[in-house]
Amino acid sequence: MGIKVEFNPDLALRNIAEHKAGRRKIEECVPGELEAGKVYEFLKSGQRLYYLSDSEFWGNGQIPLCETGGDEKLSRPLASIKILEATHFLEGGEVWTRGKYEVIEVFDVSDEKIHFEACKRI
């Protein structure tokens, strides 16, 4: 028997419309207006591990914030973020991960500029 853990190189949240329709909690969704320098809370089902670092080698711990529609289908990065904390907890017999992230830079999704190469911020 093992422990099911998922390593995530990005933070993938749902569209805010999912919250407005009552299907998701606000922390499970990308905020309607992302602001650089602001800290937001997130919530994901399952026991997830995120990259926490200040190492310059890997972009000072910055990872992409993407939008997901499910089934591991992700948008291009919406922003560069830093995960500040992540905590695992049980609720209703299920494992969840909650935490906080800081938005470093919000991207213009209409441009074709590449912001990450593999896990490294460029």
Side-chain angles (χ1 to χ4, degrees), residues 9 51 55-60 62-64 80 114-122:
Y51 180 62
S55 168
E56 286 185 36
F57 182 75
W58 287 107
N60 294 318
Q62 295 180 46
I63 64 171
S80 178
I114 296 173
H115 301 284
F116 287 89
E117 186 172 293
C119 294
K120 188 174 181 179
R121 173 80 164 98
I122 54 172

Side-chain angles (χ1 to χ4, degrees), residues 5-23:
V5 176
E6 186 172 325
F7 292 84
N8 293 129
D10 51 40
L11 179 59
L13 300 175
R14 299 292 177 133
N15 186 286
I16 193 69
E18 291 291 308
H19 171 68
K20 291 176 180 177
R23 292 187 290 267

